[in-house]
């Protein structure tokens, strides 16, 4: 029996070689149509990196496609560059443009990102139309040299078919190698739970930049092959309809698998040909077929093969076996976490006012306070999601105030969120593997992930999809993923919310075992019957100010803490 990963490889191989093989045996016209399908498959493969892997709706892939076509055309006509040189430049120039615009554009939210990339596309199109002396304006460029490699001409339809699909095969192999294993898992976490990704050390900016550049390069390569295939470059290659075509192919084929790029491109290139018999009505039939595919196949055509590829088991109950003493390795912070005089204002609202606290290795500190007291803001400031106005933050004797969230996580600072952030497309084991350090080899990462799952009684659930878990088990997975990042200090935001008394007791026992192993723990929770017996020390926050600090029983009787919860009139 073949492994699901092997089946996926075989499926992709079939889709890579079957279409050109069929076209090769057919007539000249079919070979040219299939060549165009291969060209678009390259552009879609690149677009999958941005739209599918990080969930960003870029509208610039058509622009990169056109830029690649103009680059190879201009260099070949005006400067006499050979095909290999101009082809390489056609990948580099769009990537350079992507790099220039990436820093401001990639920081934008979803719809703003789409509008910004659309604006970039329109600028490139205006340059192509109006820079007549260089681009030829509306008339375009003619006489693009034929493809020649090592004095071998690729002018025939057979040769171009082989060149295009051979390039596609190389690109698919490269993308698959780049995104296999834990790299793919990390991107799934980044797409579905970006804040959680930062908390386990995933560098969102670096991943987004790398994929955006690779996407632009593949778009440029596709445009260059289009230019040499047709022999003409006009502003039409940079118009918005090219972007719409690439987007439609990605959605119809499936945005998460290379096979989807091939399926979507082959189908949509051939669809108008199949409907030609309808004459004037073929565009209506074309649009109706696309709409039907989007409605009936939300995961794209590649999703139809998911079950054959080895669909993972659905949710089914397991018998928990206590494993609290199977404690994963904990990174001991010799000096713990210390923050001094941290201040944060949101306009005229004081969220934190000269807050100072310390969490030592092996200590459990409880943080309490009424809603709006600044507890979550404090955790956000410490973890790096919110920048403080003033204050000093030190983890294990290192200043972390200027570090991004992922760098703090790599240094040993972990945190959870009030609502566990799961990644429905990953199994439980894959979700935990995503948090393991890239410095670990696969075997070490696997052992660490399994150890973390065993600690939270999820060792029998590894093949389940994380989205199938009930709430209590989702919180267990959240803790396992946090531990897989090997923190020295963790901050848990409402970890006992929604748990039964038995589940709370089990969580408390796990946290005590982790503290005994040397982990520093900050716990925010409104449930006093859970937190007070658990914590070594409790801090009460009210209106951004620490009003009481000490042993749990002392804080529980402190007048300021009681007033913070029940009002000044009650003691």
């Amino acid at each position: 029996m073949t492994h699901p990963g092997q089946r996926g490889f075989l499926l992709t191989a079939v889709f890579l070689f079957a279409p050109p093989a069929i076209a090769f045996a057919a007539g000249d016209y079919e070979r040219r149509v299939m060549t165009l399908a291969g060209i678009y498959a390259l552009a879609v493969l690149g677009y999958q990196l941005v739209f599918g892997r990080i969930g960003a709706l870029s509208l610039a892939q058509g622009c990169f496609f056109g830029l690649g076509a103009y680059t190879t055309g201009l260099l070949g006509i005006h400067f006499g560059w050979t095909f290999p040189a101009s082809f390489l430049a056609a990948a580099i120039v769009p990537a350079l443009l992507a790099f220039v615009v990436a820093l401001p554009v990639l920081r934008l939210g979803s719809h703003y990102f789409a509008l910004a990339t659309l604006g970039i596309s329109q600028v490139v199109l205006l340059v192509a139309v109006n820079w007549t002396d260089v681009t030829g304006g509306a008339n375009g460029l003619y006489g693009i040299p034929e493809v020649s490699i090592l004095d071998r001409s690729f002018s025939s339809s057979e040769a171009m078919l082989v060149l295009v699909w051979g390039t596609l095969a190389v690109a698919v192999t490269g993308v698959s190698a780049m995104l296999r294993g834990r790299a793919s898992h990390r991107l799934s976490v980044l797409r579905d739970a970006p804040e959680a990704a930062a908390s386990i050390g995933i560098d969102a900016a670096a991943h987004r930049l790398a994929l955006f550049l690779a996407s632009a390069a593949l778009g440029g390569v596709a445009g260059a092959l289009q230019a040499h295939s047709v022999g003409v470059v006009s502003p039409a290659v940079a118009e918005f309809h090219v972007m719409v075509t690439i987007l439609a192919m990605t959605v119809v084929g499936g945005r998460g698998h290379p096979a989807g790029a091939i399926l979507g491109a082959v189908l949509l290139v051939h669809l108008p040909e199949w409907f030609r018999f309808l004459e004037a009505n073929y565009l209506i039939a074309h649009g109706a077929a696309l709409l039907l595919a989007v409605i009936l196949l939300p995961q794209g055509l590649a999703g139809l093969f998911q079950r054959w590829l080895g669909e993972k088991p659905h949710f089914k109950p397991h018998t928990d076996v206590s494993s609290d003493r199977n404690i994963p390795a904990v990174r001991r912070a010799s000096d713990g976490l210390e923050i001094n005089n941290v201040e944060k204002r949101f306009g005229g609202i004081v969220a934190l006012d000269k807050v100072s606290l310390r969490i030592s290795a092996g200590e459990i500190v409880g943080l309490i306070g009424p809603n709006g007291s600044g507890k979550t803001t404090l955790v956000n400031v410490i973890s790096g999601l919110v920048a403080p106005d003033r204050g000093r933050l030190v983890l294990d004797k290192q200043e972390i105030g200027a570090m991004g969230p992922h760098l703090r996580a790599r240094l040993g600072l972990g945190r959870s969120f009030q609502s566990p952030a799961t990644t429905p497309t990953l199994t439980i084991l894959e979700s935990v593997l995503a948090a393991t350090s890239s410095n670990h080899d696969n075997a070490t990462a696997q052992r660490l992930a399994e150890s973390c799952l065993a600690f939270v009684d999820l060792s029998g659930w590894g093949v389940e999809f994380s989205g199938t878990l009930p709430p209590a088990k989702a919180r267990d997975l959240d803790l396992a993923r946090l531990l897989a990042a090997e923190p020295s200090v963790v901050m848990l935001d409402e970890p006992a919310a929604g748990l039964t008394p038995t589940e709370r007791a089990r969580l408390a026992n796990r946290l005590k075992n982790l503290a005994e192993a040397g982990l520093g723990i900050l716990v925010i929770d409104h449930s006093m019957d859970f937190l007070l017996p658990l914590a070594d020390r409790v801090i009460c926050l009210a209106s951004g100010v620490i009003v009481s600090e000490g042993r749990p029983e002392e804080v529980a009787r402190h007048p300021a803490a009681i007033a913070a919860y029940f009002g000044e009139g009650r003691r």
Side-chain angles (χ1 to χ4, degrees), residues 48-421:
Q48 284 181 330
L49 297 177
V50 175
F51 185 55
R53 290 293 180 170
I54 59 177
L57 180 58
S58 169
L59 297 179
Q61 192 69 357
C63 156
F64 299 140
F65 183 91
L67 193 58
Y70 269 104
T71 298
T72 194
L74 288 169
L75 293 176
I77 294 172
H78 296 305
F79 298 95
W81 283 32
T82 61
F83 171 75
S86 66
F87 183 70
L88 180 62
I92 293 174
V93 171
L96 287 175
L97 175 62
F99 180 78
V100 170
V101 303
L103 296 181
V105 168
L106 286 176
R107 297 172 183 269
L108 300 176
S110 177
H111 50 293
Y112 293 113
F113 176 76
L115 289 173
T117 51
L118 176 60
I120 294 165
S121 299
Q122 293 305 300
V123 170
V124 171
L125 177 60
L126 288 172
V127 171
V129 172
N130 294 294
W131 200 5
T132 307
D133 294 340
V134 175
T135 65
N139 293 324
L141 300 172
Y142 293 85
I144 295 176
E146 295 179 348
V147 175
S148 178
I149 303 175
L150 299 177
D151 296 327
R152 178 180 176 83
S153 175
F154 285 76
S155 58
S156 67
S157 61
E158 295 93 338
M160 281 301 298
L161 180 68
V162 171
L163 175 64
V164 168
W165 282 83
T167 304
L168 177 60
V170 171
V172 167
T173 302
V175 168
S176 299
M178 181 175 66
L179 301 179
R180 69 172 180 262
R182 284 182 287 160
S184 177
H185 305 337
R186 292 186 187 105
L187 290 175
S188 295
V189 176
L190 177 59
R191 179 191 62 221
D192 297 336
E195 289 186 344
S199 72
I200 56 175
I202 298 175
D203 187 349
H207 281 83
R208 289 191 177 107
L209 177 61
L211 293 184
F212 194 49
L213 297 184
S215 174
L218 285 172
V221 165
L225 290 173
Q226 167 75 351
H228 286 284
S229 174
V230 178
V232 176
V233 178
S234 71
V237 296
E239 290 180 352
F240 188 62
H241 72 85
V242 176
M243 180 65 248
V244 172
T245 300
I246 293 172
L247 177 59
M249 289 175 175
T250 306
V251 172
V252 171
R255 62 181 185 172
H257 196 282
I262 302 169
L263 284 168
V266 170
L267 177 64
L268 266 68
V269 166
H270 284 82
L271 208 56
E273 304 300 322
W274 295 339
F275 289 145
R276 290 290 182 187
F277 70 94
L278 296 176
E279 298 178 350
N281 297 318
Y282 90 94
L283 286 177
I284 297 176
H286 184 200
L290 287 180
L291 182 60
L292 193 63
V294 171
I295 294 174
L296 297 180
L297 302 172
Q299 301 301 320
L301 290 170
L304 291 176
F305 299 93
Q306 189 69 33
R307 187 178 299 276
W308 185 80
L309 287 174
E311 187 176 11
K312 302 175 182 70
H314 290 291
F315 170 81
K316 50 188 176 185
H318 293 261
T319 301
D320 286 338
V321 179
S322 179
S323 52
D324 289 342
R325 297 200 178 276
N326 299 325
I327 303 172
V330 171
R331 187 193 319 184
R332 181 179 287 273
S334 60
D335 208 45
L337 172 71
E338 184 175 359
I339 69 170
N340 293 309
N341 296 319
V342 168
E343 298 181 13
K344 182 62 186 178
R345 293 175 179 267
F346 296 100
I349 299 175
V350 179
L352 298 172
D353 187 10
K354 295 183 174 61
V355 174
S356 299
L357 64 82
R358 178 180 177 81
I359 304 171
S360 301
E363 182 184 28
I364 300 177
V365 177
L367 181 62
I368 64 173
N371 291 330
S373 61
K375 302 185 300 297
T376 298
T377 299
L378 177 60
V379 173
N380 286 340
V381 166
I382 296 173
S383 60
L385 295 181
V386 173
D389 299 326
R390 294 184 184 83
R392 185 168 178 260
L393 297 90
V394 180
L395 176 64
D396 196 15
K397 300 181 181 180
Q398 294 190 52
E399 290 271 2
I400 62 173
M403 293 183 181
H406 68 283
L407 293 177
R408 301 184 192 196
R410 291 177 185 177
L411 191 62
L413 181 64
R415 70 158 296 179
S416 69
F417 296 85
Q418 292 184 15
S419 298

Side-chain angles (χ1 to χ4, degrees), residues 497-514:
L499 301 185
T500 65
T502 301
E503 291 164 344
R504 289 183 181 184
R506 184 177 302 166
L507 173 61
N509 189 43
R510 288 173 183 155
L511 296 181
K512 288 178 181 178
N513 287 333
L514 289 171

